[in-house]
Amino acid sequence: MRLLTHNMLSSNIKGVTNGFPLRIEVEKVVEKSVDFNPDFLKNMLAKIEYKALVEASRIMGYAELPDHAEPSMLESDDFLRKFHHALMELHLEEGTLVCPQTGRKFPVNKGVPNMLLHEDEV
Amino acid sequence: MKLKQLEGLLGSLEQFYNPKIELEQYPTGSHVASRMLYTAENSFGDVTNKVVADFGCGCGTLGIAAALLGAQHVVGLDIDAESLEIASENADELELDMEFVQCDIRNLRWEGQIIDTVVMNPPFGTRRKGADMDFLCVALKVASEAVYSLHKTTTREHVRRTALRDCHASSAEVLFELRYDVPHLYKFHKKKEVDIAVDLWRFVPKKNR
């Protein structure tokens, strides 16, 4: 699961109003390189929750992203490459996603998060 | 990539070993899948460099087609772990980077407007009534640009009405009618193979939901 996907996932338990972002517990991180696509990245910066990405990338062991991002930073190749690496190339292979409101754990195995709910959570 | 080449690659994918009828697991044939994604990209520009989600991805055929046509980020969603295993293997075989999430579409909560396009071959609702419309309504909530979906031709007016009235589609267009090969998969299938008329739809969600 790359962090772009993590940036879209929210806790889907009934009654949860504050389910994003899911907290990451790491067991195994894998890096997979992806072609650098600056236009795509510029588009994504406007759409993602940047703060959630920064936090997640740090938990995954990558501390290069600045705390805040401004549109002017999109002109910087250096920033774009760091953003690319954090968003697209870091994968949580094994670990857990934790609902920030209830603490409920969603396992991640072989890179696939399991968001299936139990009957009482629906 | 040419259509024939895409069709060939999709035809080489592994399909369900042990299909589960209650989930209406049927493979999306390479003929249908290739035409669906090829049209989405060539006529509408909805695939290359986009973020694409494959709802009810099964063995991954549609998502893989999107990746082969240059989607930047593809996520396949399915409720069934076995299918997701097969889908992962299929993606690996073709050296494609595709994400998967195991979940029930009906209680999916997706943050933001990151997904551009949803592609899907949803259950037709023969086992769980209304399943096809559940999928469609969620897809229209999640996609920011377009939803491509297959539905039986016999349900055409019902689909159009439900999409526009209940699922917040701003438009609903049948792109073309296809023959869908249903192979003899389940014990209750009497014929060796059957052709069902299906419509390939393109829906556009209302903005500012």
Side-chain angles (χ1 to χ4, degrees), chain B residues 24 122-136:
Chain B
E24 283 191 59
F124 286 160
T126 58
R127 291 282 134 173
R128 187 171 66 77
K129 197 162 143 63
D132 51 350
M133 292 298 117
D134 282 345
F135 268 73
L136 185 54

Side-chain angles (χ1 to χ4, degrees), chain B residues 4-143:
Chain B
K4 276 286 165 216
Q5 194 185 355
L6 179 62
E7 188 174 346
L9 284 169
L10 297 177
S12 74
L13 299 177
E14 287 295 328
Q15 298 298 341
F16 302 104
Y17 306 134
N18 196 19
K20 301 177 178 74
I21 183 56
E22 68 275 13
L23 297 176
E24 283 191 59
Q25 290 183 337
Y26 292 94
T28 305
S30 55
H31 178 88
V32 168
S34 57
R35 272 149 190 79
M36 196 165 154
L37 273 295
Y38 205 72
T39 304
E41 175 49 31
N42 282 8
S43 301
F44 299 98
D46 280 329
V47 181
T48 307
N49 291 332
K50 302 288 181 182
V51 178
V52 177
D54 178 355
F55 277 16
C57 67
C59 301
T61 309
L62 295 178
I64 287 173
L68 288 169
L69 290 179
Q72 185 70 23
H73 180 78
V74 184
V75 189
L77 280 63
D78 206 280
I79 200 171
D80 180 41
E82 268 174 38
S83 308
L84 290 172
E85 271 284 335
I86 300 173
S88 286
E89 281 162 18
N90 279 334
D92 284 345
E93 266 300 303
L94 294 178
E95 292 180 1
L96 294 169
D97 210 353
M98 187 170 157
E99 301 263 275
F100 297 98
V101 175
Q102 184 178 9
C103 63
D104 185 331
I105 287 292
R106 289 169 296 175
N107 38 48
L108 186 64
R109 210 177 287 174
W110 223 232
E111 190 71 20
Q113 292 289 292
I114 295 175
I115 294 180
D116 297 306
T117 305
V118 171
V119 294
M120 60 187 193
N121 179 13
F124 286 160
T126 58
R127 291 282 134 173
R128 187 171 66 77
K129 197 162 143 63
D132 51 350
M133 292 298 117
D134 282 345
F135 268 73
L136 185 54
C137 274
V138 178
L140 280 163
K141 283 203 191 104
V142 167

Side-chain angles (χ1 to χ4, degrees), chain B residues 26-29 31-32 178-183 193-196 198:
Chain B
Y26 292 94
T28 305
H31 178 88
V32 168
L178 292 155
R179 310 298 298 182
Y180 187 122
D181 288 325
V182 182
E193 196 182 75
V194 136
D195 253 333
I196 299 185
V198 294

Side-chain angles (χ1 to χ4, degrees), chain A residues 1-99:
Chain A
M1 182 199 68
R2 54 163 68 116
L3 294 184
L4 177 51
T5 301
H6 169 258
N7 210 268
M8 298 191 257
L9 286 176
S10 184
S11 169
N12 47 2
I13 299 170
K14 181 177 69 177
V16 165
T17 48
N18 189 22
F20 178 86
L22 293 162
R23 215 173 58 239
I24 297 178
E25 286 176 3
V26 175
E27 266 165 68
K28 185 172 170 209
V29 173
V30 165
E31 292 191 14
K32 296 188 204 176
S33 65
V34 171
D35 286 346
F36 182 63
N37 184 341
D39 287 331
F40 176 77
L41 293 168
K42 290 175 188 179
N43 202 351
M44 281 298 114
L45 188 60
K47 293 184 185 177
I48 58 152
E49 281 292 321
Y50 184 76
K51 188 156 167 278
L53 176 67
V54 175
E55 275 169 24
S57 61
R58 287 187 190 162
I59 295 175
M60 305 267 280
Y62 183 67
E64 303 293 306
L65 273 185
D67 284 342
H68 302 286
E70 272 132 44
S72 57
M73 284 155 81
L74 291 174
E75 307 306 309
S76 154
D77 187 71
D78 182 65
F79 169 74
L80 277 179
R81 289 197 181 263
K82 289 176 178 161
F83 181 49
H84 169 76
H85 187 69
L87 191 69
M88 304 297 284
E89 297 187 323
L90 296 174
H91 286 261
L92 183 67
E93 189 71 8
E94 304 290 326
T96 311
L97 300 175
V98 183
C99 172

